[in-house]
Amino acid sequence: MKVIDKLAWIELKDKQILSTRSFGKDKYYIPGGKREEGESDVDALCREIREELSVQLDEASIDFVGVFEAQAHGKPEGTLVRMTCYRAAYSGTLAPAAEIEEMRWLRFGDKDKVAPVDILIFDFLKERDLMA
C-alpha cells in the first residue's frame, strides 16, 4: 500500500472552509502540500501556503487539528493520502498562485466537490459545529 503524506491548512470563516482547485483538477482540496527533504511540518506548511495562496502563516499560532487518511483521489485503488492538518493565523491577502487556479469558501453541503480525505475533514469539523 502506498501512502501520500501531506500537510493541510484549515482556514475557517463564517463556518466555511477555504479550499483550492489546481489547474486541470476536478475537485477542491484543502490547501497545503508535501514536505521537502529535511522540512518540519511548520516549515513545509508555511512554504506551501505562501506558494499557493500568497500569504504568510503566523508560525507561533500554528495549532495541530488532526490526521485523516483516505483513498487518494485520482490515484490507483490502495493509494492512500494521509493529511496532517493544522490551523493558523495569517497575514497578507489571499490570492491563488503557483498551481492554484481557484480558491473558494466551501460549506458542509459542498462535500461532493472535494476529495475523499477532505470529506472526512468536513465531517470532523461539522461534528464540532465548525462548519455549516
Side-chain angles (χ1 to χ4, degrees):
M1 180 179 339
K2 181 178 180 187
V3 176
I4 301 168
D5 191 28
K6 296 185 81 175
L7 302 164
W9 175 47
I10 295 180
E11 175 62 10
L12 299 166
K13 180 178 81 171
D14 301 326
K15 294 196 173 190
Q16 298 176 75
I17 189 167
L18 181 64
S19 296
T20 57
R21 187 178 55 76
S22 298
F23 287 96
K25 300 289 184 179
D26 63 344
K27 295 284 184 182
Y28 288 87
Y29 298 85
I30 296 170
K34 298 176 189 171
R35 286 174 211 81
E36 290 181 355
E37 178 122 5
E39 276 186 320
S40 69
D41 282 11
V42 169
D43 291 342
L45 189 64
C46 289
R47 176 186 51 76
E48 285 286 347
I49 298 308
R50 187 175 52 254
E51 290 172 1
E52 293 182 356
L53 294 171
S54 308
V55 296
Q56 183 65 46
L57 296 183
D58 174 6
E59 290 186 25
S61 73
I62 294 175
D63 190 38
F64 176 76
V65 173
V67 178
F68 304 86
E69 196 171 273
Q71 170 64 38
H73 175 68
K75 301 291 183 186
E77 188 65 35
T79 302
L80 300 179
V81 64
R82 178 179 301 130
M83 191 86 76
T84 304
C85 299
Y86 297 90
R87 293 192 70 185
Y90 71 93
S91 58
T93 302
L94 291 167
E99 73 270 15
I100 304 303
E101 181 172 15
E102 179 185 8
M103 60 179 219
R104 274 182 69 184
W105 295 94
L106 299 180
R107 303 182 77 76
F108 184 74
D110 293 318
K111 287 194 324 181
D112 61 322
K113 296 174 176 64
V114 301
V117 73
D118 290 6
I119 291 171
L120 297 177
I121 296 165
F122 277 41
D123 290 343
F124 174 87
L125 295 170
K126 176 72 170 173
E127 287 169 7
R128 284 150 183 82
D129 196 33
L130 296 172
M131 284 190 77

